[in-house]
Amino acid sequence: MKIIKVEAQCRLLNEMQHFYHQVLGLELLDKTEHSFCVQIGSTALYFERTDETLPSSYHFAINIPENQIADSLEFVRKQVNPIQEDGQTIIHFEDWNAHSFYFLDPDGNILECIARHNLSNASNEKFSISSYINISEVGVPVRDVRAAVETMKTELGINYWLEQSDTFTPVGDEEGLIILVKEGRQWFMSDVIAAPLPTKIHIDDAQGSVITYSSQNEIKIITKHT
């Protein structure tokens, strides 16, 4: 599954645009008085300003070349301070055969760079902004994880990946995962408690499907036939 666009909300629009475009160096695709959009590899990330208090933070993971976790950390460290836990910055996920590190944006969203060693995307190029491959994870807190998995399986033909539980289930594949977590669960490498946030996730399939998720904790599948 490939995620081609993610739509989210933010409070600090100017600070967020500066961070993603000027600090991280991502290409600015569009901006208005109320929104902006940047390119992360093959995925567009769109933020719209809201005046409402957001009850939690978003989680996005970015795929990087599987052999460049150290290079990417060195690159990102020039702009931001990565999160450390017990003196660790790079985390090894043995079951996922992956390494990753985390950092925050001005709105407190949890960003992750992840090197997935099962993917054949190694690079000998010096790590740069063009090394980001795509957004490969979007976190979605739900009341009933198994019911949400069944909705995505039934309506999109997308099943869970590797593991399934009542509190945490990734759906899709390593190119694109919806991380379904139970509402109230703590996001990894943070003290943020997962809560519903308005989100739209556009995926690359024959129907042009959009997974919409609301602050009312509803997952809906919209298909736009082209």
Side-chain angles (χ1 to χ4, degrees):
M1 184 178 79
K2 293 184 178 179
I3 298 170
I4 58 175
K5 185 177 183 180
V6 179
E7 298 182 45
Q9 293 187 352
C10 70
R11 292 273 297 172
L12 306 173
L13 183 69
N14 293 335
E15 292 90 336
M16 289 281 280
Q17 180 182 308
H18 176 79
F19 177 81
Y20 281 92
H21 179 46
Q22 300 293 339
V23 176
L24 294 185
L26 300 170
E27 178 186 357
L28 186 65
L29 297 178
D30 185 44
K31 67 173 182 176
T32 71
E33 183 181 352
H34 304 288
S35 67
F36 72 93
C37 185
V38 293
Q39 191 75 38
I40 304 179
S42 61
T43 308
L45 177 59
Y46 170 90
F47 282 103
E48 182 177 25
R49 184 177 67 197
T50 179
D51 292 328
E52 297 181 7
T53 300
L54 295 174
S56 186
S57 302
Y58 292 95
H59 165 61
F60 308 120
I62 303 167
N63 271 3
I64 60 170
E66 67 89 13
N67 62 329
Q68 292 193 327
I69 188 68
D71 295 335
S72 63
L73 177 58
E74 182 181 353
F75 179 80
V76 169
R77 264 192 173 135
K78 297 174 183 176
Q79 291 92 27
V80 299
N81 293 319
I83 299 170
Q84 284 195 342
E85 186 172 276
D86 298 328
Q88 270 191 303
T89 302
I90 294 177
I91 308 299
H92 180 207
F93 296 99
E94 187 173 353
D95 291 345
W96 287 33
N97 193 25
H99 287 83
S100 67
F101 65 87
Y102 296 75
F103 58 100
L104 303 178
D105 71 15
D107 248 26
N109 298 314
I110 306 155
L111 304 179
E112 175 186 2
C113 286
I114 182 165
R116 304 179 190 272
H117 306 303
N118 295 331
L119 298 180
S120 300
N121 58 16
S123 174
N124 294 321
E125 300 292 327
K126 183 178 179 181
F127 194 91
S128 68
I129 202 68
S130 61
S131 301
Y132 294 128
I133 297 170
N134 64 308
I135 290 179
S136 62
E137 293 180 15
V138 180
V140 175
V142 292
R143 291 193 186 97
D144 189 329
V145 171
R146 292 184 186 271
V149 171
E150 188 61 29
T151 294
M152 296 190 66
K153 181 180 178 181
T154 301
E155 298 197 32
L156 290 173
I158 301 170
N159 209 342
Y160 70 89
W161 180 74
L162 278 189
E163 56 187 304
Q164 181 173 206
S165 75
D166 292 333
T167 59
F168 179 94
T169 301
V171 177
D173 56 47
E174 290 183 283
E175 289 190 336
L177 291 165
I178 308 301
I179 306 296
L180 297 169
V181 300
K182 189 170 181 62
E183 185 179 351
R185 187 181 190 273
Q186 186 172 330
W187 283 117
F188 183 63
M189 293 292 281
S190 79
D191 58 0
V192 175
I193 302 302
L197 293 168
T199 313
K200 288 185 180 180
I201 306 164
H202 302 245
I203 64 172
D204 184 11
D205 67 358
Q207 290 75 39
S209 298
V210 181
I211 302 164
T212 68
Y213 178 63
S214 72
S215 55
Q216 285 71 47
N217 207 312
E218 285 186 284
I219 287 183
K220 295 182 180 179
I221 312 299
I222 301 172
T223 58
K224 298 180 179 179
H225 296 277
T226 57

